[in-house]
Amino acid sequence: MADGPAGAEALIEKLGVGIDAELLERALTHRSYAYEHGGIPHNERLEFLGDSVLGIAVTVMLFTTLPDLDEGELAKRRASVVSTVALAEVARGIGLGDHVRLGRGEEQTGGRDKDSILADTMEAVFGATYLSAGPDAAEALVLRLTEPLLKDPERYGAAMDPKTSLQELAARLGRTPPSYSVVSSGPDHNRLFTATVTVGDLSRTGEGTSKKTAEMAAALTAWRALNDGDDARHD
């Protein structure tokens, strides 16, 4: 988290809602930081709450604005909006990674841009908003931040099915088809997968708790780069 009140104020300004300072700090505290500082409270309980806030807000919005869609299509759209890769994209849009409090290990391994950490922190912020400002304010925040995904059909489709979207975009641009490699680390009960996707000279990575989610995260990151015209290699 950025030092001093200015950092918190900058984030609150982007969020556009008042959040209790102590709750916001907790929402931004990853467990790795908490463990290194004497076991102080971290954001996982707020993440649990925020997950429900996110789910109900998106569900009600889809149900009320898309009356012609059946249950299966509604569920598919909701899943794409609340997915780790989509939430990480939302978090990057407000620079949330700059404010997360991380332990040394996570800091050194690029934790500020890990999809899982960004998505979990975003949910914790939703939970903190619910407790600070109430359900209406929390729901409004969720919908405002996720709206770009729903308004941009291509970006929405990429969040829903990143691997297919990347393959189609690469073909349209005349690039070589995406190729993936995956490595894993950590103990069996807490395995972390890191996928790297390469499309011509473009290389991007993503992480997840399974090979599939890691590849999806990498694919969405690569899709964003190609779609935005960023062809620089990223290690």
Side-chain angles (χ1 to χ4, degrees):
M1 183 177 181
D3 293 334
E9 288 173 2
L11 178 59
I12 289 175
E13 184 176 348
K14 290 181 180 178
L15 294 172
V17 62
I19 304 177
D20 174 79
E22 184 176 345
L23 279 173
L24 180 59
E25 184 173 276
R26 184 177 302 182
L28 299 171
T29 302
H30 188 257
R31 67 179 179 227
S32 62
Y33 182 95
Y35 293 161
E36 290 182 8
H37 292 78
I40 63 174
H42 52 74
N43 64 9
E44 290 184 359
R45 281 176 55 84
L46 286 173
E47 175 198 337
F48 172 78
L49 174 61
D51 177 67
S52 293
V53 173
L54 170 69
I56 191 64
V58 172
T59 298
V60 172
M61 183 274 295
L62 291 173
F63 182 86
T64 55
T65 61
L66 300 171
D68 296 330
L69 294 188
D70 60 24
E71 182 271 343
E73 185 62 26
L74 288 172
K76 184 178 179 182
R77 295 200 179 198
R78 178 181 60 190
S80 71
V81 177
V82 305
S83 70
T84 296
V85 290
L87 282 180
E89 182 171 1
V90 169
R92 289 188 183 96
I94 61 171
L96 188 62
D98 294 337
H99 301 275
V100 182
R101 302 204 299 175
L102 295 172
R104 290 185 297 275
E106 287 291 355
E107 190 76 69
Q108 293 169 0
T109 57
R112 294 189 183 281
D113 197 45
K114 287 182 180 177
D115 282 0
S116 57
I117 290 178
L118 289 172
D120 291 348
T121 305
M122 194 73 259
E123 288 182 335
V125 169
F126 292 149
T129 304
Y130 182 95
L131 294 178
S132 295
D136 290 343
E139 179 179 341
L141 176 63
V142 168
L143 296 182
R144 178 164 55 81
L145 292 182
T146 58
E147 183 180 29
L149 277 177
L150 297 171
K151 279 196 165 184
D152 184 341
E154 287 194 13
R155 193 167 291 271
Y156 180 85
M160 181 181 293
D161 189 353
K163 294 182 70 174
T164 299
S165 295
L166 177 60
Q167 183 172 345
E168 292 174 348
L169 179 58
R172 288 201 303 271
L173 296 175
R175 304 298 179 88
T176 57
S179 62
Y180 296 84
S181 61
V182 182
V183 296
S184 62
S185 60
D188 290 342
H189 68 277
N190 191 27
R191 184 72 66 182
L192 179 67
F193 293 83
T194 300
T196 300
V197 60
T198 302
V199 185
D201 292 334
L202 182 78
S203 179
R204 292 292 187 270
T205 61
E207 293 188 330
T209 55
S210 69
K211 178 181 177 181
K212 179 180 178 180
T213 56
E215 288 182 344
M216 288 175 62
L220 182 59
T221 303
W223 181 92
R224 284 199 303 262
L226 281 179
N227 190 62
D228 295 339
D230 176 13
D231 294 337
R233 178 172 292 277
H234 177 77
D235 294 324

